[in-house]
């Protein structure tokens, strides 16, 4: 059994749930209430001194940072390497999109929405422009492509799917980016665990209603 510390509304946590489903790993889910400071208990700090979620503990091996967890799950438990192929060039493209997600796309979400949601700050128009720029880039990457990295579903699609679905519940207009919109509709259909991802999104949506 693999212990998984998470919150269902978190898109990085949701990406792990989907990849675990895809490789057939059952997660022993342990809900952490961040608002109550449960990530700062001595017990959790011993597991993850950075006190972030998601955190995975596999038979005593602790790992955090969602995109590292995605790769670990495929490399350890995947029956094939299709979600994270061994070919160096294919893998490099997947890594590139994972880094695009963490450094540009998801970062733009966090920078614009989190101050409004958690600190009741006013919307920052400059931060919104960063979201639009990130979606323009993703739209360009997806020109003529069904998947974000290569010709089949990979962990890069799943990470970005978790992020883009958060933008949907935040009421960002994805339809303005036709290649992203087309990719998103397909990814929802072909990604294992989409239903649980969407249930987590709906939990997160309450912050935007």
């Amino acid at each position: 059994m693999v212990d998984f510390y998470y919150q269902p509304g978190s898109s990085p946590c949701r990406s792990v749930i989907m990849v675990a489903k895809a490789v057939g790993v059952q997660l022993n889910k342990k809900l952490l209430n961040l608002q109550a400071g449960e990530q700062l208990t001595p017990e959790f700090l011993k597991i993850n001194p950075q006190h972030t979620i998601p955190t995975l503990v596999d038979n005593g091996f602790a790992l955090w940072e969602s995109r590292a967890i995605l790769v670990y799950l495929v490399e350890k438990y995947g029956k094939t390497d299709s979600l994270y192929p061994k070919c160096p060039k294919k893998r490099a493209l997947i890594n590139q999109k994972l880094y695009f997600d963490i450094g540009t796309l998801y970062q733009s979400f966090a920078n614009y929405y989190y101050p409004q949601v958690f600190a009741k700050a006013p919307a920052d128009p400059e931060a919104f422009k960063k979201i639009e720029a990130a979606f323009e880039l993703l739209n360009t990457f997806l020109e003529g492509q069904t998947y974000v990295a290569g010709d089949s579903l990979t962990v890069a699609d799943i990470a970005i799917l978790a992020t883009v679905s958060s933008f949907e519940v935040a009421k960002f207009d994805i339809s303005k980016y036709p290649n992203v919109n087309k990719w998103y509709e397909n990814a929802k259909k072909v990604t294992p665990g989409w239903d649980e991802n969407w249930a987590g999104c709906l939990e997160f949506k309450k912050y935007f209603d």
Side-chain angles (χ1 to χ4, degrees):
M1 187 67 78
V2 177
D3 288 339
F4 181 57
Y5 296 86
Y6 83 117
Q7 269 203 330
S10 153
S11 52
C13 292
R14 288 186 270 108
S15 69
V16 175
I17 288 168
M18 288 189 280
V19 169
K21 179 94 170 174
V23 299
V25 170
Q26 190 176 352
L27 298 173
N28 179 31
K29 297 191 185 96
K30 294 174 176 279
L31 196 62
L32 270 193
N33 185 338
L34 304 187
Q35 285 74 27
E38 289 180 0
Q39 77 279 21
L40 300 173
T41 62
E43 294 80 12
F44 189 70
L45 288 170
K46 204 175 285 184
I47 295 167
N48 175 356
Q50 203 173 340
H51 53 82
T52 53
I53 55 165
T55 293
L56 188 90
V57 182
D58 185 1
N59 197 28
F61 172 67
L63 186 64
W64 53 96
E65 292 296 345
S66 64
R67 293 152 194 87
I69 295 171
L70 305 186
V71 169
Y72 171 76
L73 286 173
V74 176
E75 291 193 317
K76 181 164 185 192
Y77 293 105
K79 293 171 181 60
T80 72
D81 69 350
S82 66
L83 289 174
Y84 193 62
K86 291 185 174 65
C87 166
K89 288 182 179 175
K90 288 181 179 178
R91 186 167 280 195
L93 287 174
I94 293 166
N95 290 340
Q96 178 195 63
K97 297 306 187 297
L98 288 173
Y99 301 153
F100 166 75
D101 182 38
I102 192 173
T104 302
L105 187 65
Y106 178 73
Q107 192 62 52
S108 74
F109 182 92
N111 289 348
Y112 181 70
Y113 290 108
Y114 287 168
Q116 296 176 65
V117 167
F118 299 118
K120 306 301 178 208
D124 177 355
E126 291 305 310
F128 189 79
K129 286 178 189 171
K130 295 275 179 67
I131 293 175
E132 293 178 315
F135 268 84
E136 287 288 356
L137 281 170
L138 184 56
N139 201 61
T140 300
F141 299 156
L142 284 163
E143 184 65 43
Q145 303 294 318
T146 305
Y147 299 99
V148 297
D151 54 10
S152 62
L153 185 77
T154 68
V155 292
D157 291 283
I158 297 174
I160 291 175
L161 177 61
T163 299
V164 170
S165 57
S166 291
F167 278 104
E168 182 181 356
V169 295
K171 302 183 174 70
F172 180 75
D173 187 6
I174 298 162
S175 68
K176 291 199 303 191
Y177 307 90
N179 297 333
V180 177
N181 202 43
K182 186 178 174 188
W183 163 85
Y184 183 47
E185 291 307 315
N186 180 64
K188 288 193 278 190
K189 291 176 191 152
V190 301
T191 303
W194 163 258
D195 289 348
E196 189 169 352
N197 175 74
W198 188 243
C201 283
L202 293 179
E203 202 157 309
F204 191 45
K205 185 173 183 281
K206 65 188 178 196
Y207 291 111
F208 299 97
D209 288 341

